[in-house]
Amino acid sequence: MLKLPVNSIRNTIFIRLVATYLFVIFPLIILGVYLYNWSYQYASQEVSKNSQAQLSAYLDGLNREIEWLEIQQYDILQDEELNKMVLTWDMMSTVERKASLHYLLPRLVSIKNSSVYIKDVFIHIRSMDKTISAMTAMNAFDSRRYNHLFAGEANGNQRLLQIDDTFHLVAAKYGARKGEEPLLIVQIELDESKLRESLMQISVYPESGAFIVSEPSGFALASHEEADRLMKEAVQAIQHANRQILNIGTGRYLIDKAYSDKLDLSVFTYLPTEAVKRPLSKFYVWAWLFAGTTLLAIAIYAVSTYKLVHKPLLLLVQSFRKMEDGMFNIRIKHGQRDEFGYLYDRFNQMLIKLQHLIDQDFRHKLMMQRAELKQLQSQINPHFLYNSFFILSSLAKTGDVTQIELFTNMLGEYFRFITRNDADNVPLLEETRHSRIYTEIQKLRFSRRIRVEFGELPKEMEAIKVPRLIIQPIIENAYEHSLEKMQDEGLLRVSFHLDDQEASIVIEENGNGLTDNDIDMLNKRLERTAESAESSEVTGLINIHRRIALTYGESSGLVLSRSLLNGLRVQIRIRLTEGNEHV
């Protein structure tokens, strides 16, 4: 037998070691460096993505809070007692003045307590030469702040005014003559400390921070002292960066930004890049260990995994893909007795059962179950429940026992109807009565801003059986998405129509929240929903449309159009045929 010289063997071993290093270890090292950089970039992107989502959610929440405060602000601006006090203060007796103040101060306190962001609520009344505060009651007229607020309100370009290192909401009421100063100004001062606390909540890392910057004025508010220091050092560079790594002082920071055009505010978060790299600090050590100990294991594992796992799993995945394409007559033929054999048997039995369920109109039942679940989930609106208790609290403070009794009876009837489960369909008379009770409850909140015209239900339509909760959710939708946000007087109109073949209920309002294009898109979604039994999450209107169409046929359901009142018009169409069992 030919024997190789020792040197030749050593050279061969050396060559193989070099080859192993060049073609295995060295590529692993390069791969490790690449993975380290990729991991850092990926971690940075994930941190940035999460920060962007948090910032957007924060601005959305802040905008909703500001909208709620503006509603409260304009509500107090239209208060009859306040306007009476402004116009007739000099003619009022001492007793009348005290009575007016005793009425007004609790309202201001109630508004202040309605949001943690409110520090104080002021009403500056020039004719009375007084400034009324929720915290300090009546004070001398603050002319400096009045002039500052008047100048900012007259500008009209900002929802949030920056005064004395914090934000303010301002609304003014003017007299009949043009060019005059306002009769009164309602000012809501936001609490700087609460804004800082809210910014701390989106600073999820110990080394991170956040701050708000007002685009028009450049006013900024930081979550804590370190954030304030960094913000002052690099505010100009940060304002022009959507997502950027900046060198600030001796540190390097990952900056994320979100902007709200509604508030004209930007919110930023920063995170030191060292905090992102810290979890990767031991990567190189583990990479060397991994390269040395797993090289052989990978080869063995790759071969065995391919034969024992990958091929059987690939067969199962291919079968599932065929099933997704609608092929339910396929079967996996095998002779295995291991775990994959068990999965193959379960898969074959699943196809048999699935085919049987489809033959029993499974898709139709699934759609009904989803619609029913959506109905149950939307029966009790927490926001409506909160407002109801708020109204009840207000009535209790006034001591109006008659109104309290009337309101609690209406509220009890309202919840009794939506929580009953004895029947899926109810007479239209009961459904209409429930919707009327809902509008009466809302009148207690918006009687000065929203007018309701609720038509009489014809006798011939009273006994028509309809699915529960098809009118009230549409009315609730009109309040929530349109009427509540209107600055002018809102109008809601409900009417009923009947002919030989069809009964219809029409709900319309005078809001301007939807364009003609939006209404056309909603109608197209309703049409697609009527044609397909399979769909994902649907809106409340589409849910109602489905239930009516399933009960009375495809020609029934909702039709959306532009109302003569300029808002949305929703028509509920019910075909009256013998098969409908409508009476």
Side-chain angles (χ1 to χ4, degrees):
M1 180 180 292
L2 180 62
K3 294 184 179 181
L4 294 174
V6 175
N7 291 337
S8 179
I9 295 174
R10 289 178 179 176
N11 291 336
T12 302
I13 294 174
F14 177 76
I15 292 172
R16 289 182 178 179
L17 288 175
V18 171
T20 302
Y21 178 80
L22 291 176
F23 295 103
V24 179
I25 305 300
F26 186 69
L28 284 177
I29 294 175
I30 296 177
L31 179 61
V33 174
Y34 169 78
L35 289 177
Y36 176 83
N37 292 322
W38 178 84
S39 299
Y40 170 69
Q41 294 295 331
Y42 180 78
S44 300
Q45 291 174 1
E46 287 300 308
V47 169
S48 182
K49 186 186 300 181
N50 293 334
S51 297
Q52 289 285 349
Q54 286 183 326
L55 295 178
S56 298
Y58 175 80
L59 287 176
D60 290 340
L62 183 61
N63 183 60
R64 288 193 296 270
E65 192 73 22
I66 296 301
E67 287 179 348
W68 165 252
L69 297 183
E70 288 174 338
I71 292 174
Q72 298 297 310
Q73 191 177 41
Y74 283 105
D75 191 41
I76 191 68
L77 200 66
Q78 302 299 324
D79 189 272
E80 294 181 1
E81 187 67 27
L82 173 60
N83 286 275
K84 173 185 173 184
M85 186 170 61
V86 171
L87 297 175
T88 63
W89 179 260
D90 294 335
M91 296 180 289
M92 295 171 69
S93 65
T94 303
V95 174
E96 290 174 332
R97 291 180 177 182
K98 288 183 177 180
S100 297
L101 288 174
H102 287 164
Y103 164 80
L104 184 60
L105 286 175
R107 286 211 63 186
L108 297 183
V109 173
S110 176
I111 293 174
K112 179 189 177 300
N113 294 335
S114 67
S115 174
V116 296
Y117 289 106
I118 298 180
K119 184 175 183 180
D120 203 350
V121 182
F122 300 92
I123 301 179
H124 305 277
I125 307 175
R126 178 170 51 83
S127 61
M128 293 171 49
D129 201 27
K130 299 291 181 182
T131 294
I132 303 174
S133 165
M135 297 291 292
T136 59
M138 182 172 288
N139 306 282
F141 184 65
D142 192 342
S143 59
R144 183 188 68 84
R145 179 166 287 189
Y146 174 88
N147 293 330
H148 201 157
L149 294 172
F150 173 50
E153 200 278 336
N155 186 23
N157 293 327
Q158 302 179 40
R159 292 173 66 190
L160 294 174
L161 292 181
Q162 183 259 319
I163 304 173
D164 298 333
D165 295 332
T166 189
F167 292 115
H168 300 258
L169 288 171
V170 180
K173 184 163 188 176
Y174 293 85
R177 297 180 180 179
K178 294 184 178 179
E180 288 187 344
E181 294 183 354
L183 299 175
L184 60 94
I185 293 179
V186 178
Q187 170 198 0
I188 296 179
E189 180 181 356
L190 301 187
D191 194 331
E192 178 186 351
S193 63
K194 296 300 181 181
L195 287 173
R196 291 183 184 272
E197 290 178 9
S198 68
L199 289 173
M200 286 294 295
Q201 293 176 3
I202 60 176
S203 303
V204 295
Y205 298 93
E207 305 92 338
S208 65
F211 42 88
I212 292 178
V213 176
S214 174
E215 297 289 346
S217 62
F219 170 69
L221 181 67
S223 58
H224 55 281
E225 292 182 2
E226 178 64 17
D228 188 63
R229 181 186 66 80
L230 292 173
M231 177 184 64
K232 290 178 179 178
E233 290 184 11
V235 66
Q236 293 296 329
I238 291 173
Q239 275 189 280
H240 296 88
N242 287 327
R243 188 245 173 197
Q244 186 174 336
I245 296 178
L246 296 178
N247 294 318
I248 305 175
T250 59
R252 189 171 174 84
Y253 296 88
L254 178 65
I255 307 295
D256 288 288
K257 169 187 177 181
Y259 172 71
S260 172
D261 55 352
K262 295 180 180 179
L263 298 174
D264 213 1
L265 291 177
S266 294
V267 60
F268 299 85
T269 59
Y270 69 85
L271 178 66
T273 56
E274 291 299 323
V276 182
K277 294 179 179 179
R278 190 176 300 123
L280 305 174
S281 59
K282 297 182 179 180
F283 182 85
Y284 282 112
V285 176
W286 287 105
W288 281 106
L289 293 175
F290 176 81
T293 58
T294 61
L295 183 61
L296 181 61
I298 288 175
I300 298 174
Y301 179 78
V303 175
S304 60
T305 301
Y306 177 77
K307 291 183 178 180
L308 300 177
V309 178
H310 182 73
K311 289 181 67 176
L313 187 59
L314 181 61
L315 176 60
L316 187 61
V317 171
Q318 290 173 345
S319 300
F320 268 109
R321 288 178 177 173
K322 291 179 181 178
M323 184 191 69
E324 290 175 355
D325 292 335
M327 299 174 61
F328 298 101
N329 58 347
I330 60 173
R331 299 293 183 270
I332 299 178
K333 297 179 181 180
H334 67 95
Q336 297 178 235
R337 294 294 180 266
D338 56 4
E339 290 82 357
F340 279 104
Y342 175 79
L343 289 176
Y344 294 157
D345 291 337
R346 295 295 96 191
F347 177 81
N348 292 336
Q349 293 182 20
M350 180 190 67
L351 286 180
I352 296 173
K353 292 182 179 179
L354 188 60
Q355 185 67 49
H356 181 67
L357 289 174
I358 292 175
D359 293 341
Q360 293 181 351
D361 201 13
F362 171 76
R363 294 179 181 175
H364 176 76
K365 292 183 179 179
L366 180 61
M367 186 178 66
M368 288 288 290
Q369 290 171 0
R370 288 178 178 173
E372 182 180 4
L373 176 61
K374 188 67 177 180
Q375 173 193 355
L376 295 175
Q377 290 174 336
S378 62
Q379 283 182 350
I380 299 179
N381 188 328
H383 184 67
F384 173 76
L385 184 60
Y386 165 78
N387 288 330
S388 299
F389 282 116
F390 186 86
I391 294 172
L392 186 59
S393 174
S394 300
L395 292 175
K397 289 179 181 179
T398 62
D400 193 341
V401 178
T402 303
Q403 284 292 331
I404 292 175
E405 180 181 5
L406 176 62
F407 178 76
T408 53
N409 287 334
M410 290 192 298
L411 199 61
E413 287 293 321
Y414 174 84
F415 284 108
R416 182 190 67 81
F417 182 83
I418 66 174
T419 56
R420 60 185 292 191
N421 56 8
D422 55 343
D424 292 331
N425 296 333
V426 297
L428 184 57
L429 178 63
E430 292 186 21
E431 176 70 16
T432 303
R433 182 172 178 270
H434 169 71
S435 303
R436 189 184 291 270
I437 288 175
Y438 175 80
T439 58
E440 292 297 325
I441 292 174
Q442 293 288 34
K443 281 183 181 179
L444 293 176
R445 288 185 61 206
F446 305 106
S447 59
R448 289 184 296 271
R449 295 197 300 111
I450 301 175
R451 183 162 51 92
V452 178
E453 296 179 3
F454 210 112
E456 291 294 327
L457 178 67
K459 290 287 184 181
E460 298 80 3
M461 296 177 63
E462 291 180 352
I464 296 177
K465 291 294 185 68
V466 297
R468 286 194 303 129
L469 296 174
I470 61 171
I471 301 178
Q472 181 264 330
I474 298 176
I475 296 176
E476 183 178 2
N477 188 71
Y479 272 96
E480 182 178 356
H481 297 289
S482 179
L483 298 175
E484 290 185 10
K485 301 177 181 179
M486 293 182 60
Q487 297 182 4
D488 299 325
E489 182 185 42
L491 173 60
L492 175 72
R493 179 180 297 164
V494 182
S495 57
F496 303 89
H497 309 277
L498 177 69
D499 57 29
D500 294 337
Q501 297 181 344
E502 182 179 281
S504 65
I505 305 102
V506 177
I507 302 98
E508 49 188 337
E509 36 87 2
N510 66 338
N512 55 4
L514 292 176
T515 64
D516 291 339
N517 187 46
D518 293 334
I519 297 174
D520 291 338
M521 291 180 64
L522 283 173
N523 271 318
K524 290 178 180 178
R525 290 192 65 190
L526 293 178
E527 294 173 2
R528 289 197 300 269
T529 301
E531 295 172 358
S532 175
E534 298 178 356
S535 73
S536 58
E537 185 69 11
V538 294
T539 63
L541 290 177
I542 295 178
N543 181 43
I544 295 172
H545 177 77
R546 275 186 170 181
R547 290 193 288 134
I548 296 173
L550 288 173
T551 304
Y552 294 106
E554 297 298 335
S555 59
S556 300
L558 302 186
V559 178
L560 310 182
S561 61
R562 173 70 64 186
S563 169
L564 295 178
L565 303 178
N566 195 42
L568 179 63
R569 179 180 186 271
V570 181
Q571 180 186 15
I572 303 175
R573 299 178 59 189
I574 299 174
R575 299 290 295 176
L576 303 179
T577 61
E578 294 180 359
N580 284 342
E581 298 179 0
H582 59 276
V583 294

